[in-house]
Amino acid sequence: MKKSKLLGIIATALFCSSLINAQNVFNASNASLNHLDNTTIVNEIAGNWFLSLGLNIIDDGGAGYHKTDPLNTNSSHFSNPFMLGAEYNTGTNFSINTSFSFNKYLIGKNVDGGIIQKGSEAGYVAFDATAKYALKKILNSKVFDPYVFAGAGYTKIGKHTSLFGTELKRIPAIGRMTLNYGFGANFWLSNTWGVYLNFMAKYGVKQKNYEAEITNQLQFSFGGIYHIPSNNFNWRV
């Protein structure tokens, strides 16, 4: 989707800009956290678990870029948009993350070029698993914790009726595998609590009977993250 590519380019540019200017932010942030042990955040996370709770926005318009709606608000879905996640750090820069996402496609919103009709709002449920690579140690930061990731997932969108021009079309509930990649960052407020921002592109794997209905999506998420201290949770993989 042209719009997806545009948002991806903009997001990537902003992310790169943040990395270029991050060192000054790191120095100021680290100075304000001198009361924390030097290894509390950098090293103690190895082998530990993280839990996250947040909100998500799904962009599933499939209609490309519009000058009158550059952010595609007509196809951005934000209703019952809860997201739960769990992550295990392997003791290196890599970690394994899993998440459940919930949302709803509302009346009047664009989905793959059609407009959802009254009485046919569609539920959205997704499970995603990714491998993450953290850049925090490379940047020598305690607060700003950027990462990149890739993985796969399963998404199901409920049945709904959409208007394509003058034609009404009933779309059945369809589950599909997705191939995912993206980037994001955690911002640590202490050795246990932080907030996160995440951008994920989800490429739908086509099925023989639903090639037109299965398209790509963008998911933006943000929320809080909790690092479970190792002395409280000693599971090991």
Side-chain angles (χ1 to χ4, degrees):
M1 298 182 288
K2 293 182 179 179
K3 175 266 305 168
S4 299
K5 294 179 179 178
L6 176 63
L7 287 177
I9 292 172
I10 294 174
T12 302
L14 291 174
F15 188 67
C16 292
S17 177
S18 297
L19 293 179
I20 293 172
N21 295 284
Q23 191 60 51
N24 290 334
V25 177
F26 301 155
N27 293 337
S29 299
N30 290 340
S32 69
L33 292 178
N34 284 334
H35 63 284
L36 295 178
D37 184 84
N38 288 336
T39 61
T40 296
I41 299 177
V42 175
N43 296 320
E44 192 178 332
I45 64 171
N48 282 280
W49 289 84
F50 300 79
L51 300 177
S52 62
L53 175 64
L55 303 174
N56 70 96
I57 302 173
I58 302 295
D59 185 354
D60 196 6
Y65 173 79
H66 291 283
K67 292 182 179 179
T68 58
D69 187 21
L71 298 180
N72 251 31
T73 56
N74 287 334
S75 62
S76 297
H77 305 278
F78 187 74
S79 179
N80 301 328
F82 300 107
M83 192 169 188
L84 303 171
E87 182 175 331
Y88 180 79
N89 183 274
T90 63
T92 66
N93 289 335
F94 287 96
S95 60
I96 305 299
N97 180 273
T98 60
S99 64
F100 282 98
S101 305
F102 306 89
N103 216 309
K104 180 184 281 189
Y105 288 8
L106 298 178
I107 299 169
K109 292 282 190 175
N110 293 332
V111 176
D112 298 328
I115 300 176
I116 295 180
Q117 299 301 291
K118 185 176 181 179
S120 64
E121 295 178 337
Y124 176 99
V125 179
F127 172 78
D128 297 291
T130 59
K132 294 172 60 174
Y133 183 80
L135 304 173
K136 181 174 65 174
K137 291 182 180 179
I138 297 175
L139 298 173
N140 193 29
S141 168
K142 298 179 183 178
V143 178
F144 181 55
D145 182 12
Y147 54 81
V148 294
F149 63 87
Y154 179 83
T155 297
K156 186 172 183 178
I157 300 172
K159 63 180 179 180
H160 58 280
T161 301
S162 287
L163 180 65
F164 295 84
T166 59
E167 179 185 0
L168 280 176
K169 185 175 181 180
R170 298 185 183 278
I171 309 297
I174 302 174
R176 78 291 309 273
M177 297 294 295
T178 62
L179 302 178
N180 311 330
Y181 75 90
F183 57 84
N186 301 319
F187 300 87
W188 292 104
L189 308 177
S190 72
N191 62 330
T192 53
W193 292 99
V195 295
Y196 73 89
L197 297 172
N198 198 74
F199 170 91
M200 178 161 59
K202 307 180 71 172
Y203 287 83
V205 178
K206 299 291 187 180
Q207 299 177 20
K208 183 176 180 180
N209 296 330
Y210 300 111
E211 291 189 3
E213 290 80 4
I214 295 178
T215 59
N216 306 328
Q217 305 163 2
L218 294 177
Q219 183 181 55
F220 304 90
S221 58
F222 54 93
I225 184 170
Y226 176 67
H227 165 216
I228 302 176
S230 58
N231 58 343
N232 293 337
F233 199 66
N234 292 319
W235 289 6
R236 291 292 184 269
V237 173

